[in-house]
Amino acid sequence: MKLPLVKLRVGGMGSALPIGKRLQSAESVHILVLILIASFAHPTSAVTLQEVLRTTLDKNPAILEAKAGLERAAGQRLVFRSIVWPDFEVGVPAGVQYGHRSGETGVKGFAVGRGALEQTLFNMAVPPSLRRGDIEVLIAQQQLNVAVVEQLHAARLAFYAALYNRSLESIRDEQLQKLEDNVATQKNRFEAGLADRSAFTSATVQADELVPQIEKAQRAYREAQLNLAQAMGIDLANASLPEPEGELEFVPMHVDVGVETAAALQRRADLNLARLFVRAANEDQRIIAADYYPAIAGSMHGEWVPITGIHRQGSTSKTQDFIGSELREKAAYTWRVIDNGKVGGAVLKARAAREENELTCRKLEANVSRELPRIANDIQAIAAREGSLASATAAAEESARTVGENVATGLASPLEYRVTQTGFLKTKSGLLDAIYQHNVALAEWDRVAGRYFQFSDEPTGSRPRATDSSKR
């Protein structure tokens, strides 16, 4: 099965750790070794997007429940089809006959074989019942399809959110390290009498302001990891939180709204499910209305007596007793002529349900032609924003590097350094946010266009097939 493809640049994505700290003793080395051993004893599971989607498809509780519903639908189809099947019953009454009657004495054991066969010959409910049974399986298939789309989409968004917040934490950690270096520089300048206390205090305050932002990114990252674990069906009692592998990358995308809209109307799982509900309601209405047409059934009843001389219950003479096996055939019809289904309202209620389903289906179809152009416009706007922020980030990084070199020699003021560092942090964070929003928009495009997963519409074959969302 081909799953939605998203290009990732694989690499070390661990949060940036503060640099400049050195181990000064052998004890510190031993501590580091122990930490490494502990980390290997409880490894964090690194997963790619493809592995996330594959595991979600196999272990997600909602998807597993939908798969069980598909199995139940096969049994429900038998219920609808049973109307055309013959009804066959077999019974073997047995007992003991005792008493005195006209020259007969003693005790006799007996057994009688009885069978009855009834077959529907004509019923207006047969054709809609057969169609309704097939639709029941299709509905279960599309319900599974919808569950797959929802859970894969949720897992994909959680994966992107984890990468985004981890990268954001890394950026802010790196910025904090630079600000802490500036604090150390200003402290040295203050102690040497080259700067006043206000410069040292301002640098300290600016560094401290980043701490709650880093903690917020850490919390968001853990929350995304938890959502990812839930989507993947991971038992956290026996496994650690998944660690997303790679980092977010901007991949330009060109979309054809007209072509994608026409395709989405055909392959969207929720649209197909809505159409199936309309068809099911229509067949239900036909089944109810068929109850008010004549129905003809043929029946056959037979009795097999292994021996003679066995009296019927309540008989008073031998002419009323069993004298041998017998077979009786007959045909009967029923016709309800008092209520045609409209007086009691059964047909009208079924029609109302069908019309409600049709209205819901039309609304969903109309939403497709609105959602896809909106997402396409968002993708274009985010692409323009990403391009501007990429240029601004490069310029801000160069400016921050130059000012950082000058502030150490006293050629630039601490205020200028703080301004440039703040600007660089904002532009770099904004660029990361644009890349994240771009990936989220691509995921939304795949969801609305119906690119995640699709079942075959064959009622007897439930093999899934997938669409490749990488074909733009």
Side-chain angles (χ1 to χ4, degrees), residues 73-83 85 133:
Q76 186 65 21
R77 178 169 58 179
L78 299 180
V79 174
F80 281 104
R81 291 188 170 188
S82 62
I83 186 175
W85 291 347

Side-chain angles (χ1 to χ4, degrees), residues 381-402:
I382 293 172
R385 179 178 170 224
E386 189 274 340
S388 300
L389 286 171
S391 301
T393 300
E397 184 177 11
E398 179 63 24
S399 176
R401 185 185 62 81
T402 303

Side-chain angles (χ1 to χ4, degrees), residues 4-9 49 153 156-164 167 246-253 375 378-379 382-383 385-386 431-447 452 469 472:
L5 298 180
V6 178
K7 292 185 178 180
L8 297 174
R9 185 167 67 250
L49 178 58
H153 185 64
R156 186 175 175 183
L157 293 183
F159 186 87
Y160 289 156
L163 292 182
Y164 167 71
S167 298
E247 62 183 41
L248 293 173
E249 186 175 272
F250 183 86
V251 180
M253 174 183 175
I375 298 175
D378 291 342
I379 291 175
I382 293 172
R385 179 178 170 224
E386 189 274 340
L431 176 60
L432 176 63
D433 182 72
I435 296 175
Y436 169 66
Q437 294 299 333
H438 176 74
N439 283 273
V440 171
L442 294 185
E444 287 293 330
W445 177 270
D446 287 339
R447 180 189 64 82
Y452 275 96
S469 65
R472 305 300 184 189

